[in-house]
Amino acid sequence: MSVFKKGKYKTYQYDFQINGRRFWGSTKETTKSAALKVESRLKKEALNRLEEVSLTDITLDIAAGLYWDRHAQHLADSKQIEYRIGLIINIIGKSTLLREIDNKTIDNFISVRRAQRNINYKKGVAPIISHATVNKEVGVLRAILNRAAQHQDATIKNIDWKNHKLREAEHPDRPLTRDQENQIWHELVPHARPIISFMLLVGQRKTNCMDLTWDQIDFERKVIEFRVKSKTPGGRIEVVPIGEGLMTLFQYIGIKKTGPVWVFGGSCDCWHCQTRAGQPIKTIRRTFNTAVKKAGINRKVRFHDLRHTVGHRILEATGDLRLVQQFLGHQDIRSTLRYAKHGIDKKREVMDLLYESPDKSPDKIVK
């Protein structure tokens, strides 16, 4: 927590945790700005004391704390990383020395996690933890060890990380057809329709689309700038052009100078727009899922399938895989190759080409 006043005390108190250790007391300052400076100084001093620990005897607890405080908390997926760090410490042990962590330790961690079930599952019997989830957790452990070795000169063992990676299930592509898109669109509440239309035009990830602000849109250059996750500190900028369709969409919802693009209100008369008019729309996942169900689509459609739909449509229209990569912002072409797989309609065309001879038709086959 940040600085605060308690009871009748005139000075601000501080209370924070680093690496599971609690630090609290009085800042001896009566103004919040001065108290925040004291808190910041105390945090730096606490971190420096942690780094003074003997490098050969640095524990997983301390290494994880330094990794979080100096790096992970600033990442876009910091909440997931914080949760994974807690799992790692609970299974391996916070007092485990980094120099003791070897391939056997990693194998044991993976074995434990593969036997556990998803505690966040709310419907029926929770499924076993997926291989993809375990791989992400092992990746966090690897990052903790590597950062300790690079920045604290900690002693770590040579671990065969590639051998520990589990085979992940391949997620099927579920691009929407034009008919399915229209069916879903008509079942959506009015305030969600512009957002879905926007996502099917730009092909960006859900978070980037939902968090869009007018400051990101440059109408003079006719571009939108998205900050996407990457290995570059702070992410990288992905520039998307504004075409005729996007310009029409922005004019429909009303162009502004600042603030969130998607807000409740307007022509929509749903309960949310009546009670939250002018407030930003943070998610429409439930609205989208409800519209899919009402549309009578029998297969499971994920929110992320809107992005897959854009990738498939670009490839079908142009046949240019590089263009798909650039439009979707894939840094690795291997992420784009999934759209190069021929669909069932293309396979049906190939089968018709193979069926050349009329003598091979069922009515010509001799019994």
Side-chain angles (χ1 to χ4, degrees):
M1 79 177 52
S2 186
V3 295
F4 60 94
K5 282 188 176 181
K6 183 178 180 181
K8 298 181 180 180
Y9 290 100
K10 295 183 179 181
T11 58
Y12 278 87
Q13 310 293 305
Y14 66 90
D15 190 346
F16 60 86
Q17 289 189 16
I18 294 181
N19 193 30
R21 292 172 172 80
R22 184 184 178 195
F23 300 85
W24 74 95
S26 173
T27 63
K28 299 181 181 180
E29 298 289 347
T30 56
T31 62
K32 189 172 183 179
S33 59
L36 287 172
K37 291 180 180 179
V38 172
E39 183 193 41
S40 177
R41 175 176 57 80
L42 292 173
K43 284 184 176 180
K44 290 180 181 179
E45 291 176 357
L47 279 172
N48 290 334
R49 286 199 297 272
L50 289 177
E51 290 182 334
E52 291 174 358
V53 177
S54 174
L55 298 178
T56 57
D57 292 331
I58 187 170
T59 63
L60 176 61
D61 187 33
I62 293 176
L66 293 172
Y67 171 71
W68 169 257
D69 290 315
R70 294 293 176 89
H71 178 68
Q73 67 171 322
H74 305 295
L75 300 179
D77 56 344
S78 59
K79 290 184 179 179
Q80 292 91 333
I81 294 177
E82 184 179 20
Y83 176 74
R84 291 166 190 156
I85 289 176
L87 286 172
I88 291 169
I89 291 177
N90 288 336
I91 294 174
I92 298 179
K94 65 179 184 180
S95 60
T96 302
L97 300 177
L98 293 194
R99 57 184 172 84
E100 295 176 346
I101 298 177
D102 54 13
N103 287 299
K104 186 177 180 180
T105 307
I106 309 300
D107 281 337
N108 179 68
F109 173 82
I110 294 174
S111 178
V112 171
R113 285 298 286 152
R114 290 180 71 180
Q116 295 178 344
R117 295 184 179 274
N118 188 346
I119 61 174
N120 297 319
Y121 198 75
K122 297 180 180 179
K123 296 181 179 179
V125 179
I128 297 293
I129 297 296
S130 69
H131 286 189
T133 299
V134 178
N135 285 337
K136 290 176 182 178
E137 292 165 358
V138 172
V140 172
L141 175 58
R142 182 180 183 179
I144 293 172
L145 297 179
N146 289 342
R147 188 168 182 85
Q150 295 171 4
H151 295 267
Q152 279 80 44
D153 293 328
T155 302
I156 63 173
K157 290 189 176 180
N158 186 21
I159 297 174
D160 185 5
W161 296 104
K162 186 176 181 180
N163 190 44
H164 292 295
K165 188 171 184 178
L166 302 177
R167 185 184 293 274
E168 299 181 14
E170 185 176 353
H171 294 290
D173 290 340
R174 303 183 182 95
L176 296 175
T177 64
R178 293 290 183 180
D179 288 340
Q180 290 172 338
E181 176 190 342
N182 291 333
Q183 291 169 5
I184 293 173
W185 192 88
H186 285 294
E187 295 295 343
L188 287 168
V189 292
H191 73 257
R193 290 174 179 174
I195 302 175
I196 298 299
S197 300
F198 177 80
M199 295 183 69
L200 287 170
L201 285 172
V202 300
Q204 293 296 310
R205 293 174 178 83
K206 175 182 67 70
T207 303
N208 290 332
C209 292
M210 294 303 304
D211 294 343
L212 183 69
T213 62
W214 292 108
D215 298 332
Q216 296 174 241
I217 307 173
D218 189 334
F219 287 102
E220 292 185 5
R221 295 167 53 211
K222 291 187 176 182
V223 296
I224 306 173
E225 293 185 347
F226 294 97
R227 185 173 294 278
V228 299
K229 293 191 298 182
S230 72
K231 295 181 179 179
T232 305
R236 60 184 175 82
I237 299 297
E238 185 69 31
V239 179
V240 175
I242 299 176
E244 182 179 351
L246 277 181
M247 184 59 71
T248 302
L249 179 62
F250 289 142
Q251 290 173 346
Y252 168 76
I253 62 178
I255 297 175
K256 299 180 178 61
K257 292 184 178 180
T258 59
V261 173
W262 317 117
V263 295
F264 290 107
S267 59
C268 185
D269 58 357
C270 73
W271 179 85
H272 293 285
C273 289
Q274 292 295 323
T275 58
R276 303 178 184 178
Q279 296 183 22
I281 302 173
K282 296 183 179 180
T283 179
I284 58 169
R285 184 186 294 276
R286 183 176 297 179
T287 300
F288 177 77
N289 292 338
T290 301
V292 171
K293 186 179 294 185
K294 287 184 177 180
I297 299 176
N298 295 325
R299 63 181 179 83
K300 184 178 180 181
V301 178
R302 301 172 302 167
F303 208 82
H304 193 69
D305 289 329
L306 297 175
R307 179 170 163 86
H308 291 324
T309 300
V310 174
H312 278 277
R313 289 179 179 177
I314 295 174
L315 189 60
E316 289 176 359
T318 66
D320 190 339
L321 200 61
R322 285 290 181 183
L323 178 60
V324 179
Q325 179 189 12
Q326 294 173 4
F327 195 93
L328 297 182
H330 290 156
Q331 288 188 295
D332 193 334
I333 190 64
R334 287 177 294 183
S335 300
T336 318
L337 287 174
R338 66 185 305 158
Y339 303 114
K341 297 178 181 178
H342 294 300
I344 191 68
D345 292 334
K346 195 68 176 179
K347 291 179 181 179
R348 188 177 291 110
E349 292 177 13
V350 173
M351 183 177 289
D352 290 339
L353 291 174
L354 295 174
Y355 181 68
E356 296 176 350
S357 174
D359 295 332
K360 294 181 181 179
S361 59
D363 59 333
K364 297 292 184 180
I365 296 177
V366 179
K367 294 183 179 179

